[in-house]
Amino acid sequence: MVLNDSQMRQETAASDLAIELRGISKAFGPVQANKDISIRVRRGTIHGIVGENGAGKSTLMSILFGFYRADSGEIFINGKPTEIPDSESAIRAGIGMVFQHFKLVENFTVLENVILGAEDSGLLRPSLARARGLLKDLAREFELNVDPDALIEDLSVGHQQRVEILKALYREADILILDEPTGVLTPSEADHLFRILKGLKEQGKTIILITHKLREIMDVTDEVSVMRRGEMVATRVTAETSPTELAELMVGRKVLLRVEKPPAQPGAEVLRVESLRHVDSQGVERLRGISFGIRKGEILGIAGVSGNGQSELLEVLAGLREAEGKVLLDNEALPLSGAGCDGQARRARRIAHVPEDRQRRGLVMNFHAWENIALGYHHDPRYNPSPWRMNNAAILRDTTGKMEAFDVRPPDPQLKASGFSGGNQQKLVLAREIEYEPDLLLVGQPTRGVDIGAIEFIHQRLIRLRDAGAAVLLVSVELDEILALSDRIIVMFDGRIMGERMPDETNAQELGLMMAGMA
Amino acid sequence: MSSRGKIPHWADVTLVPLFSVALAFALSAVLIWAIGESPWQAVKLMVEGAFGSSYGWGYTLFYATNFIFTGLAVSVAFQARLFNIGGEGQALLGGLGVALICLYIPWPHWSVALIAASLGAALFGAAWAIIPGYLQAKRGSHIVITTIMFNFIAASLLGYILVNVLRVPGSQDPASPRFPSEVALPKLHEMLALVGIPFSTVPPVNIALLIAIGMCFMVWYMLWRTRLGYQIRAFGESEPAAQYAGISPARITIYVMLISGGLAGLMAVNAVMGEQQRLVMNAVEGAGFIGIAVALMGRNHPFGVFLAAILFGFLYQGGAELALWMSIPRELIVVIQALVILFTGALDNMVRMPIARVFARRKRAG
């Protein structure tokens, strides 16, 4: 076969590419998740992929890992055209994937998980021995140390993630894809992960890092590709770009990465919490004596790695869990158990709640937008002209107004909650809770899974509510968010308050140490 | 990216049940052919027997009335994701309520008796359902287990009462005495005669049909136009979200079981007061269980329940005709009914997924 000149050039260029995708398209029904995507990932580099939720990052990686088949386009692995009809072929082609939600068997040991599905024979002993040796080498080389005999359920999230990486390496992956790997990690665990990734890169492995955190992109990647609405809009050398440019590329317009916030004008104390204790249904003590207060016109941020009691604190205050201790709202006790301790009673005391898990708690996914606007407010006399009739038309009218005020798109009150994007679902919940004009707003993870454009909007709304004189209790695992919004910060670790800081007198490092229980 | 398996709502409520029924009938035809009878002949007999005359219609609608009540009972409970399979027992108790009211209180006119008997039937059915409801709400005893066990308790209780309390002295038959003729409900042919439409006088279809249709509307109104219905649906769709909204799971569970049991109990107005005119051991004849299939096929919507009830009424009446005129054993007719239940109830996704694929393909092309 005779190659012409341009083909020759392409071949040489292709030889240092670990992955090349050409013209990948994939549609789900009417939704074009990936549109004619081409990307080249050089061998031995860390390549970031950023984009808003729903930009098509996960679809693209799922195609690469054989979960979906592209409608059209070609995949080249190490310069060779490769068909990837299933994940087995992806693994054979040297691709390993670390999912956002780990795929581990909780009651298996680390070793058992590592060999699961890659056993050499019907007997486990030889595979386990081989894996044990390999794990020892990898631990030495890359700081990938985990106890091979520990059960997964006993490991921290950071260690579980290492097991996922070990699984991929055991299968001799040359190309490692990580999907939002730091979402569940503390800052120091994230740093450790990045050291591991850099070590792997030096060994010649290729790493694709999917994230929406621009700081991580700037810190560890060599090159970065930006996706927007199913299209690949740009690829940049990381050293030659900036977070601002990347954010603009992602959203397609200029965005404020940090909202403007006038100084707080705190008033009288609204909420007083004294030695609050909570034991969950498993008998684990989640809150071990929490005391704090919030004043009018103030945003109190609660920082902490998820699972250290913040969620429980929020739900106790919202009346969804029973607890012991004392909580005063405007100097009047809030019942912490029995009658008067439920969502309805809390709303009657003008406490509104934006729950952490909007899809499970905050919304009924199968209800129309207008039905969701009544959720929790279904006793409102405006919606109930008589006990025998709910005025659906009034709710519908109200919904139209709230959707407009909060720029929910599409502004269709008849659309089911599941039909909105994450950001718009969250705006729906916020519209319902903020328009109630509460004295105290409890907010959990207001921008989890929300795209950058919507984050800006949501932050502005929370600040506006504060400036209108409400108290806001903000629980977030995103340190950037806590730092950007809070007027005061308390850090929780293992059900206790580790300390209180003012946002302009602290930094992510200090808070990170406190979150890890080390200060 | 879970758009796989999604089909438009209209197709979900029309195409899927229609294809399911068609498949069930196709398989039934194979069975009939296999025992050496003509499927074509069988279909003709069933359709003519059920819809070919006012006699057939009368029976079809009589059965359908039973199934509307029990189907609504299952549907309402299922809107709160409670699987009430105790319709059988609740309807039996409803029958007891009807019998006590008709036997022990002298009624001047059937209309007053009808109101009282309806209330009694609903009350007795609701009372029987509230025990499992309470156990689920406060004790966490699973409602599927308790309601099905309560069917047996109801049957035994009824047997005891019929034998020891209500039996006609000297009779060998465990049945109550005949109700006085004042409480006989007007039959459909009497009602139609008022507007000059001739109708067969034989079938037991009676004014309870109108109550059933009224109940379809009331259940719809309750579910989609009242606060209680809103709370029931929210609780059924997502318990965590309902809890967040301050909807008490225990209270909703008990309310829903009251309504569900009441609806099941109302069936006795049709069967006991309208047809048998006395209380017998097997007054319900399995309609409580057919209600589950009716609710499944009717997609737990009152209008769907109405249509599904007519279909099952047709199966009952057509099946009886089949047994009468062809050498098809009675058991095979039960098999045909079972196939319809199997296909519409349990094998739903088998039909839905190919339909979804067709829709996905059409959308991509169009």
Side-chain angles (χ1 to χ4, degrees):
Chain A
M1 196 165 87
V2 185
L3 295 173
N4 65 30
D5 239 22
S6 75
Q7 269 174 326
M8 289 278 266
R9 261 205 310 278
Q10 218 169 9
E11 288 301 306
T12 31
S15 67
D16 19 280
L17 291 179
I19 298 173
E20 183 179 9
L21 303 181
R22 286 189 203 156
I24 297 282
S25 291
K26 172 79 188 168
F28 296 99
V31 183
Q32 188 79 33
N34 284 164
K35 261 179 271 180
D36 190 25
I37 292 201
S38 299
I39 180 175
R40 306 168 132 218
V41 178
R42 286 188 296 121
R43 188 171 306 138
T45 62
I46 300 182
H47 194 111
I49 296 184
V50 289
E52 298 191 315
N53 286 295
K57 300 170 301 207
S58 297
T59 307
L60 188 64
M61 290 307 121
S62 298
I63 289 170
L64 195 50
F65 199 60
F67 278 178
Y68 298 134
R69 290 201 83 160
D71 298 335
S72 59
E74 294 166 293
I75 302 174
F76 295 81
I77 305 289
N78 296 322
K80 281 200 297 280
T82 313
E83 285 279 311
I84 306 182
D86 50 36
S87 48
E88 211 176 309
S89 344
I91 292 168
R92 232 180 297 121
I95 301 174
M97 181 127 175
V98 175
F99 292 94
Q100 196 173 359
H101 303 285
F102 306 145
K103 316 241 182 243
L104 297 169
V105 184
E106 295 259 308
N107 54 354
F108 271 21
T109 65
V110 170
L111 268 187
E112 286 168 332
N113 267 287
V114 166
I115 64 163
L116 183 67
E119 305 89 351
D120 300 322
S121 63
L123 290 175
L124 289 183
R125 194 178 284 270
S127 311
L128 286 171
R130 191 166 75 86
R132 190 181 295 274
L134 195 81
L135 251 53
K136 213 182 278 170
D137 295 343
L138 291 170
R140 212 180 34 239
E141 247 177 291
F142 301 114
E143 285 187 78
L144 263 167
N145 21 2
V146 236
D147 174 7
D149 298 311
L151 291 179
I152 295 298
E153 57 197 7
D154 298 335
L155 294 181
S156 72
V157 183
H159 278 81
Q160 291 186 13
Q161 191 174 56
R162 283 180 217 170
V163 178
E164 283 285 9
I165 297 175
L166 287 169
K167 264 168 70 181
L169 294 177
Y170 183 75
R171 287 158 178 73
E172 295 172 348
D174 273 327
I175 301 162
L176 203 57
I177 307 170
L178 294 104
D179 189 3
E180 298 283 0
T182 60
V184 288
L185 303 183
T186 62
S188 69
E189 279 177 321
D191 287 342
H192 190 134
L193 171 69
F194 293 141
R195 279 205 302 280
I196 294 171
L197 295 185
K198 281 177 180 161
L200 289 169
K201 178 179 96 169
E202 273 152 31
Q203 295 291 310
K205 309 261 183 211
T206 309
I207 290 156
I208 297 183
L209 181 66
I210 303 172
T211 180
H212 68 275
K213 296 183 186 168
L214 295 177
R215 194 159 39 86
E216 292 170 1
I217 291 288
M218 300 310 293
D219 283 354
V220 294
T221 63
D222 300 300
E223 281 179 309
V224 51
S225 299
V226 184
M227 289 186 71
R228 183 170 77 226
R229 291 199 196 129
E231 287 176 272
M232 191 62 80
V233 288
T235 296
R236 295 276 186 275
V237 173
T238 309
E240 292 166 10
T241 184
S242 68
T244 326
E245 187 196 15
L246 291 177
E248 278 175 34
L249 285 168
M250 277 163 70
V251 184
R253 63 182 168 85
K254 282 203 184 299
V255 275
L256 291 170
L257 283 183
R258 202 161 170 154
V259 284
E260 278 175 54
K261 187 170 70 134
Q265 314 267 319
E269 195 169 74
V270 176
L271 185 80
R272 181 82 236 157
V273 175
E274 291 289 354
S275 43
L276 194 65
R277 285 176 191 281
H278 167 73
V279 178
D280 70 9
S281 55
Q282 250 104 79
V284 181
E285 192 174 24
R286 292 295 183 177
L287 298 176
R288 307 166 187 259
I290 298 273
S291 303
F292 65 91
I294 316 177
R295 295 188 288 170
K296 271 176 189 286
E298 160 179 78
I299 297 179
L300 176 66
I302 297 189
V305 180
S306 85
N308 278 285
Q310 316 94 303
S311 311
E312 287 79 4
L313 173 63
L314 212 55
E315 296 203 341
V316 163
L317 293 177
L320 303 178
R321 286 171 186 266
E322 304 199 329
E324 288 164 41
K326 207 161 77 179
V327 177
L328 298 174
L329 183 78
D330 292 325
N331 289 320
E332 236 182 281
L334 274 184
L336 293 178
S337 60
C341 175
D342 62 51
Q344 234 10 276
R346 289 296 199 271
R347 276 181 199 94
R349 299 283 300 269
R350 302 212 75 77
I351 299 177
H353 177 205
V354 177
E356 291 188 310
D357 192 338
R358 61 177 159 269
Q359 305 199 338
R360 213 172 77 88
R361 271 214 195 279
L363 296 167
V364 177
M365 297 308 277
N366 238 342
F367 268 16
H368 303 285
W370 67 268
E371 286 173 303
N372 271 301
I373 284 294
L375 189 71
Y377 300 91
H378 50 277
H379 289 287
D380 191 320
R382 287 178 302 142
Y383 298 160
N384 293 281
S386 83
W388 306 109
R389 191 166 76 90
M390 212 171 177
N391 189 347
N392 293 352
I395 305 175
L396 209 58
R397 264 198 308 280
D398 206 25
T399 305
T400 312
K402 285 178 174 153
M403 288 179 101
E404 200 175 312
F406 277 75
D407 188 30
V408 181
R409 276 177 264 179
D412 176 6
Q414 297 285 4
L415 194 63
K416 284 190 176 172
S418 54
F420 291 93
S421 72
N424 284 301
Q425 288 172 356
Q426 186 70 327
K427 283 189 199 166
L428 211 54
V429 177
L430 279 161
R432 181 179 71 208
E433 302 301 321
I434 289 183
E435 295 272 291
Y436 180 57
E437 296 175 353
D439 292 341
L440 171 65
L441 180 69
L442 310 167
V443 201
Q445 320 297 348
T447 56
R448 175 147 69 193
V450 165
D451 42 49
I452 289 198
I455 290 177
E456 184 189 352
F457 180 87
I458 290 169
H459 284 179
Q460 279 167 351
R461 280 310 172 116
L462 291 175
I463 290 169
R464 204 196 284 178
L465 181 72
R466 176 202 74 168
D467 290 343
V472 179
L473 180 69
L474 166 74
V475 167
S476 175
V477 293
E478 300 280 350
L479 263 187
D480 290 342
E481 182 165 74
I482 292 281
L483 284 166
L485 284 179
S486 311
D487 301 311
R488 240 168 0 114
I489 298 169
I490 56 183
V491 180
M492 276 183 72
F493 171 73
D494 198 21
R496 291 194 182 82
I497 291 180
M498 292 300 289
E500 184 179 319
R501 295 285 184 276
M502 300 306 277
D504 41 8
E505 290 164 12
T506 187
N507 53 45
Q509 282 69 33
E510 188 192 21
L511 292 176
L513 282 174
M514 290 167 78
M515 282 159 64
M518 285 186 289
Chain B
M1 304 287 123
S2 60
S3 60
R4 289 189 293 184
K6 279 243 173 95
I7 53 177
H9 184 67
W10 68 264
D12 194 39
V13 296
T14 55
L15 289 185
V16 174
L18 282 178
F19 272 97
S20 299
V21 172
L23 273 176
F25 281 151
L27 200 57
S28 306
V30 172
L31 280 176
I32 292 170
W33 173 78
I35 62 164
E37 295 288 331
S38 152
W40 175 239
Q41 187 68 24
V43 170
K44 233 176 83 181
L45 256 176
M46 277 184 88
V47 173
E48 267 172 20
F51 298 128
S53 62
S54 70
Y55 171 89
W57 266 106
Y59 270 100
T60 302
L61 289 177
F62 169 73
Y63 293 126
T65 307
N66 285 341
F67 302 150
I68 290 174
F69 284 122
T70 53
L72 284 177
V74 177
S75 301
V76 166
F78 201 77
Q79 287 288 348
R81 293 299 177 276
L82 293 168
F83 203 14
N84 175 17
I85 53 178
E88 192 81 3
Q90 290 143 20
L92 273 182
L93 262 286
L96 182 61
V98 167
L100 295 179
I101 281 171
C102 290
L103 285 172
Y104 290 107
I105 302 173
W107 296 102
H109 190 256
W110 63 265
S111 55
V112 212
L114 176 62
I115 296 171
S118 300
L119 287 176
L123 216 64
F124 270 65
W128 201 244
I130 199 176
I131 308 169
Y134 176 84
L135 290 174
Q136 163 91 58
K138 301 287 184 188
R139 291 260 162 270
S141 321
H142 204 286
I143 208 144
V144 169
I145 310 290
T146 47
T147 49
I148 201 162
M149 293 203 297
F150 265 65
N151 287 337
F152 292 99
I153 303 176
S156 307
L157 181 68
L158 196 72
Y160 175 82
I161 290 178
L162 282 179
V163 170
N164 293 292
V165 184
L166 292 180
R167 184 167 51 96
V168 182
S171 159
Q172 298 274 318
D173 185 17
S176 80
R178 209 154 248 297
F179 298 162
S181 57
E182 284 82 10
V183 303
L185 293 179
K187 298 262 178 80
L188 187 62
H189 71 88
E190 296 171 55
M191 286 150 46
L192 288 176
L194 293 179
V195 287
I197 300 171
F199 198 83
S200 168
T201 56
V202 183
V205 58
N206 59 75
I207 195 164
L209 172 65
L210 299 185
I211 301 183
I213 293 170
M215 280 299 146
C216 285
F217 177 76
M218 278 179 62
V219 165
W220 170 82
Y221 186 88
M222 188 274 293
L223 283 172
W224 279 281
R225 289 294 182 275
T226 70
R227 185 167 59 198
L228 177 64
Y230 177 88
Q231 297 182 66
I232 291 173
R233 290 185 297 118
F235 173 70
E237 289 287 352
S238 163
E239 191 173 339
Q243 196 208 356
Y244 160 80
I247 297 167
S248 156
R251 197 179 305 158
I252 291 297
T253 302
I254 288 175
Y255 283 174
V256 163
M257 286 308 286
L258 277 175
I259 296 170
S260 177
L263 286 165
L266 276 177
M267 190 210 121
V269 173
N270 185 48
V272 177
M273 195 175 178
E275 188 206 10
Q276 297 144 6
Q277 285 284 300
R278 57 182 192 142
L279 186 60
V280 296
M281 278 297 284
N282 63 340
V284 179
E285 291 177 50
F289 292 115
I290 299 291
I292 300 169
V294 169
L296 278 170
M297 194 174 173
R299 293 289 180 277
N300 297 304
H301 191 287
F303 185 64
V305 164
F306 175 77
L307 292 181
I310 302 267
L311 172 79
F312 276 88
F314 154 73
L315 282 178
Y316 255 58
Q317 170 55 16
E321 291 287 317
L322 215 52
L324 204 60
W325 299 110
M326 284 176 83
S327 54
I328 293 177
R330 179 78 207 153
E331 286 69 27
L332 194 71
I333 290 153
V334 179
V335 168
I336 293 172
Q337 288 161 359
L339 280 174
V340 173
I341 296 177
L342 186 69
F343 274 86
T344 55
L347 301 178
D348 221 41
N349 272 333
M350 194 177 79
V351 175
R352 182 175 290 122
M353 270 141 82
I355 293 180
R357 237 170 284 140
V358 171
F359 269 98
R361 212 171 303 142
R362 267 190 25 192
K363 220 164 235 179
R364 211 170 300 146

